[in-house]
Amino acid sequence: MRHEMSYEEKYRMMVETPVNRLIPRLAVPTIISMLITSIYNMADTFFVSQLSTSASGAVGVNFSLMAMIQAIGFTLGMGSGNYMSRMLGEKSDEKAQKACSTAVYTAFVFGLALAITGILNIDSLVRVLGATETIAPFARDYGKYILIAAPYMTVSFVFNNHLRSQGNAALSMMGITTGGVLNVVLDPILIFGFGMGISGAAIATIISQFISFMILLVLVIRSGNVLKPHPKYVTFRGWVYKEILAAGMPTLGRQGLASAASVLLNVAASGFGDAAVAAMSIVTRIMMFINSALIGFGQGFQPVCGFNFGAKRYGRVLEAYYFCRKVAFVFLLCMAVVMFAASTPIMWLFRREDAEVVRIGAMALKLQCALLPVQSFTIIGNMLTQSIGYSFRATLTAIGKQGLFFIPAILFLPGWLGIPGLQLAQPIADLLTFLLTQAIVVMVVKELKEMERQGD
């Protein structure tokens, strides 16, 4: 029988194991989890795209809705998870327990509120999210099912982040992987086999997400070295939410603005027809799939960063940062070269029947790949500042990409340049975010070096 580590053994692992062995050990299951999560959306996009261009656009419209659900779950999950990592590093277990329980129950309440509000206003909601007249019926059929799943989806995201923050990424991977594989299997069966169309894709997703949730719930309950949510530890005291939001605000900024940016992208693209909405939706999914691997790798770095910062091992925090930045750059450079060269065939796989979708999407994909390697500095730098509790600077770097830069770009460039403006908005935002993040991270690294010297 596999030996389950005690809290003390896990503490020693996090502060003593060489980072070039520890981070990959934590990151591999996390990368798989993130890729599988991305596959949920990729599978829906691929199979629904075979129905029609309008149906493909509807999945893109509902991506904004999924981003709202993720914003709730990731904000509470990563905020409480990062705080839990630091408290476990300081051996303040009761504070970690209160953050854990409060985040889980709060996520459920917020998810339930979103579900009720969204279902009661589904027609208005899909139009606000950027659906055209021809896309709206498909978007409504898809969105109503996704909203039903919102309460347990938000809690699943919290569970995932809690497991990772406590060094149990492999457990997180089990639930996510099972759900992802099930989603890919169910999509063609329900969409084509049962003739359910786009509703079948949504039903496949919510069934898969529910299975993932149940697996994660069982794992959290049965694992001996994982903090468990319990009503008696739920507290509405301000300090708990202050700590959760302090660490989670960068995630809220990133995810919340990602949702807003997705809506504005759909609205801007809708002015050029359903083909533009579908093309940009497909490109967004492809880039998400690539970035999910990097984010998964970075989330293997975060608990190491949080534990060691809490334990005042500042040199080890910097060592982990440099290691992750180097690995991430090499990976994204390789992916950029491959995806740039294969941009047209990739778009053809999704929507071969519509040449305009392929043309618009292939150029957008090439332009985004050109700036892809610099995101290694942006994402790992943001995770460094977030994990050590530098809330304001982490929030600033998190909102830069989709808030400070992308939103103005998508509001201005398409009206000025037409479809090329639509395609250029994201690469320009990526470049400006890289410059902002580097300016902030250079200061943070200098401060960490100074803290290390003072501790010697």
Side-chain angles (χ1 to χ4, degrees):
M1 184 175 178
R2 185 177 177 269
H3 170 65
E4 193 172 66
M5 286 190 294
S6 66
Y7 282 117
E8 188 61 35
E9 288 173 323
K10 186 182 296 182
Y11 177 86
R12 288 199 302 270
M13 177 190 78
M14 297 296 279
V15 300
E16 294 175 7
T17 304
V19 295
N20 61 351
R21 295 210 314 265
L22 178 60
I23 292 173
R25 185 194 307 175
L26 296 175
V28 168
T30 310
I31 290 169
I32 294 172
S33 296
M34 293 299 297
L35 288 174
I36 294 297
T37 300
S38 186
I39 285 172
Y40 278 122
N41 292 321
M42 285 283 284
D44 283 356
T45 301
F46 176 79
F47 289 115
V48 171
S49 292
Q50 313 310 309
L51 296 172
S52 69
T53 297
S54 296
S56 179
V59 177
V61 167
N62 277 285
F63 171 70
S64 306
L65 179 59
M66 292 286 286
M68 293 177 191
I69 296 170
Q70 289 177 341
I72 296 170
F74 279 145
T75 298
L76 293 168
M78 294 191 74
S80 57
N82 286 335
Y83 177 70
M84 287 158 59
S85 288
R86 296 199 304 277
M87 291 305 98
L88 291 173
E90 294 178 7
K91 301 187 178 181
S92 301
D93 294 351
E94 185 176 348
K95 288 184 177 180
Q97 180 67 71
K98 287 183 177 180
C100 168
S101 301
T102 302
V104 169
Y105 285 94
T106 301
F108 179 80
V109 171
F110 273 63
L112 184 62
L114 176 61
I116 294 171
T117 304
I119 291 170
L120 292 176
N121 300 279
I122 187 67
D123 291 317
S124 300
L125 178 61
V126 297
R127 298 308 294 269
V128 170
L129 294 178
T132 64
E133 289 287 346
T134 47
I135 288 175
F138 295 99
R140 182 174 58 249
D141 290 344
Y142 190 96
K144 64 185 179 183
Y145 290 107
I146 298 301
L147 284 165
I148 291 171
Y152 61 80
M153 285 173 65
T154 53
V155 176
S156 289
F157 289 127
V158 174
F159 280 157
N160 272 313
N161 284 286
H162 283 185
L163 288 168
R164 285 196 291 263
S165 70
Q166 296 172 76
N168 291 283
L171 296 181
S172 171
M173 180 188 71
M174 291 172 62
I176 293 296
T177 301
T178 303
V181 171
L182 183 61
N183 191 68
V184 174
V185 172
L186 287 177
D187 260 339
I189 294 173
L190 297 183
I191 294 171
F192 306 112
F194 286 88
M196 297 177 71
I198 194 168
S199 294
I203 292 170
T205 297
I206 69 172
I207 290 173
S208 304
Q209 290 275 13
F210 183 73
I211 298 298
S212 289
F213 165 72
M214 292 304 298
I215 292 172
L216 289 168
L217 179 62
V218 170
L219 290 172
V220 168
I221 291 172
R222 296 188 62 181
S223 298
N225 63 352
V226 173
L227 296 179
K228 297 162 183 37
H230 194 285
K232 73 177 182 180
Y233 289 110
V234 175
T235 177
F236 297 105
R237 292 183 179 178
W239 73 264
V240 176
Y241 286 105
K242 180 182 177 182
E243 293 292 350
I244 291 174
L245 291 176
M249 195 59 70
T251 301
L252 179 61
R254 182 168 55 244
Q255 294 292 138
L257 286 169
S259 179
S262 178
V263 171
L264 292 172
L265 176 61
N266 291 329
V267 171
S270 66
F272 303 101
D274 288 6
V277 177
M280 298 310 296
S281 169
I282 293 168
V283 171
T284 298
R285 291 300 194 287
I286 293 169
M287 297 307 295
M288 271 185 58
F289 186 74
I290 297 171
N291 279 320
S292 66
L294 175 58
I295 293 170
F297 181 70
Q299 288 179 346
F301 155 69
Q302 283 188 298
V304 177
C305 189
F307 260 78
N308 284 278
F309 188 81
K312 303 188 188 305
R313 306 286 184 90
Y314 305 119
R316 190 169 163 83
V317 172
L318 288 169
E319 183 185 0
Y321 166 68
Y322 291 133
F323 170 75
C324 288
R325 192 179 66 179
K326 179 174 64 177
V327 172
F329 180 80
V330 173
F331 166 73
L332 288 185
L333 180 62
C334 293
M335 290 303 300
V337 172
V338 172
M339 300 299 286
F340 188 96
S343 57
T344 298
I346 290 170
M347 291 299 302
W348 183 82
L349 283 173
F350 283 86
R351 192 67 194 141
R352 70 186 69 182
E353 296 85 358
D354 195 324
E356 186 70 358
V357 172
V358 174
R359 183 187 69 82
I360 295 171
M363 178 54 69
L365 187 56
K366 286 180 178 178
L367 291 170
Q368 292 191 36
C369 283
L371 272 294
L372 186 60
V374 303
Q375 291 197 41
S376 58
F377 293 84
T378 301
I379 293 175
I380 300 299
N382 175 248
M383 288 183 169
L384 168 68
T385 53
Q386 183 175 8
S387 298
I388 62 178
Y390 285 19
S391 179
F392 174 75
R393 283 177 279 190
T395 301
L396 193 58
T397 60
I399 68 174
K401 180 175 179 177
Q402 303 291 23
L404 295 178
F405 303 123
F406 178 77
I407 289 177
I410 200 64
L411 288 172
F412 173 70
L413 292 178
W416 181 38
L417 299 175
I419 288 179
L422 196 68
Q423 297 162 325
L424 279 167
Q426 190 64 69
I428 290 173
D430 289 344
L431 176 61
L432 294 174
T433 306
F434 161 71
L435 297 174
L436 171 65
T437 304
Q438 279 304 102
I440 291 172
V441 170
V442 165
M443 293 187 291
V444 172
V445 168
K446 184 177 179 181
E447 291 171 21
L448 288 170
K449 288 179 178 179
E450 182 61 31
M451 286 188 280
E452 182 187 10
R453 282 194 295 269
Q454 291 175 357
D456 291 339

